[in-house]
Amino acid sequence: MAGLCEGGNEPSGSLKAICKRGLRNVRAAMQRAGLADDLQGEAHTRSVPDSEQVCENDILLVDVVNRVPGQGFGIHWRGQPQKETPVMDGVPMVTQCPIPSSTTFQYKFRASRGGTHMWHAHTGVQLTDGIFGALIVRQSPRRDPHFRLYDVDDPSHVIVINEWSHGFAIQRLLEPNPGTSTATLLVSGRSRLKQPEGSQKQTVVETPLSTFRVTAGKRYRFRLAYAGGGRGCPITVTIAKHLLLVISLDGHPITPREVTSLVMAAGRYIFH
């Protein structure tokens, strides 16, 4: 299995070494939402918040402990066809009953489709409250049709964008105009929030921003996921003074296309 991902354009060791470390850090994102898990299998540990990186055809074993009071849910693994394990698709009342509060459910499935995907809660508005993340299924160079279009595929170059609002989503549904209170967009869990109009101080809190290091003259592959949120409005993504080469959409390779910006609904893109 380790040989499947051997080689590639990683800056610090081959995917063969990366995939031996063990998948064990979906825990951080789920615990923030009141969940816990125990993960096993061949995969890479978390490189950015809410990002899991595994190798194509790895077996994922995830024990989800629901610690959300009074709410059941499932975890959906977007982009994975689940041909061998359809009951592991994570859609409550379709492929499984919701995981009741204070109980455990184990997901076990093969990461059979390479590319950039997402995992998220699939009940009510729980995705809006942060139960989501990127799922990166890496391929060996011989399986990647666009391998020669980039020099570096750094595991830390995963960008997850989502809406952020004050309070829980279920509380915002009771507002006079539900879905209109989005405060800002988070880029890999970070942003700077300007005080709303009408407040006494019109200031921006100088919190740290997400940074990604590159070297001039090299071509970098970035993986971009937009999780949406309460509004779910499309967003436009640009990089100042750079063109983007889109090489994949929703986990599928496409004919490369050079663009100045991307307009994204909730979904996945890969560009460099």
Side-chain angles (χ1 to χ4, degrees):
M1 180 64 69
L4 178 68
C5 291
E6 187 171 3
N9 296 333
E10 294 67 52
S12 57
S14 69
L15 280 174
K16 178 178 180 180
I18 288 175
C19 289
K20 287 183 177 179
R21 297 176 188 173
L23 179 60
R24 53 185 177 269
N25 287 319
V26 164
R27 182 178 299 107
M30 290 185 168
Q31 284 182 337
R32 286 198 299 272
L35 311 174
D37 66 0
D38 180 24
L39 296 168
Q40 302 173 14
E42 294 183 352
H44 177 41
T45 58
R46 180 179 311 284
S47 58
V48 300
D50 308 333
S51 171
E52 282 309 316
Q53 307 200 19
V54 304
C55 287
E56 189 177 33
N57 283 321
D58 279 352
I59 303 297
L60 277 67
L61 182 63
V62 185
D63 290 331
V64 178
V65 181
N66 181 3
R67 294 178 179 169
V68 180
Q71 297 186 41
F73 63 89
I75 299 295
H76 179 51
W77 313 91
R78 296 183 68 172
Q80 297 307 307
Q82 303 285 7
K83 290 183 178 180
E84 299 172 303
T85 52
V87 296
M88 296 293 151
D89 198 42
V91 183
M93 309 310 296
V94 178
T95 61
Q96 69 174 97
C97 292
I99 305 170
S101 181
S102 302
T103 65
T104 302
F105 183 85
Q106 183 179 91
Y107 291 96
K108 183 178 181 180
F109 63 94
R110 184 186 305 275
S112 60
R113 178 168 292 168
T116 299
H117 311 284
M118 292 186 66
W119 63 266
H120 61 81
H122 209 292
T123 304
V125 291
Q126 291 167 343
L127 184 153
T128 305
D129 286 330
I131 308 179
F132 66 84
L135 175 62
I136 312 302
V137 182
R138 292 179 169 274
Q139 295 177 299
S140 65
R142 66 179 180 273
R143 294 272 298 162
D144 182 359
H146 298 317
F147 173 70
R148 298 187 182 278
L149 294 179
Y150 53 88
D151 302 313
V152 179
D153 185 6
D154 193 319
S156 68
H157 288 170
V158 177
I159 303 173
V160 180
I161 302 174
N162 68 288
E163 297 178 18
W164 182 82
S165 302
H166 297 286
F168 288 99
I170 193 66
Q171 297 170 320
R172 296 194 297 275
L173 289 176
L174 303 177
E175 296 174 349
N177 298 298
T180 61
S181 61
T182 298
T184 188
L185 289 174
L186 299 182
V187 178
S188 293
R190 293 183 174 183
S191 184
R192 288 181 179 171
L193 176 62
K194 183 177 180 179
Q195 297 296 330
E197 295 183 5
S199 62
Q200 295 181 349
K201 295 183 179 180
Q202 290 291 315
T203 59
V204 176
V205 181
E206 296 294 326
T207 53
L209 297 176
S210 297
T211 59
F212 303 92
R213 299 185 182 278
V214 296
T215 301
K218 291 187 176 181
R219 301 171 301 170
Y220 288 84
R221 181 177 187 172
F222 277 80
R223 300 171 184 268
L224 175 61
Y226 174 43
R231 291 184 178 183
C233 296
I235 62 172
T236 300
V237 179
T238 63
I239 298 181
K241 300 180 181 180
H242 284 77
L243 293 175
L244 311 175
L245 184 66
V246 182
I247 63 175
S248 182
L249 173 63
D250 290 348
H252 298 278
I254 63 173
T255 301
R257 182 175 180 179
E258 197 172 70
V259 299
T260 57
S261 64
L262 298 171
V263 178
M264 298 180 62
R268 288 82 55 201
Y269 286 87
I270 306 175
F271 61 93
H272 79 264

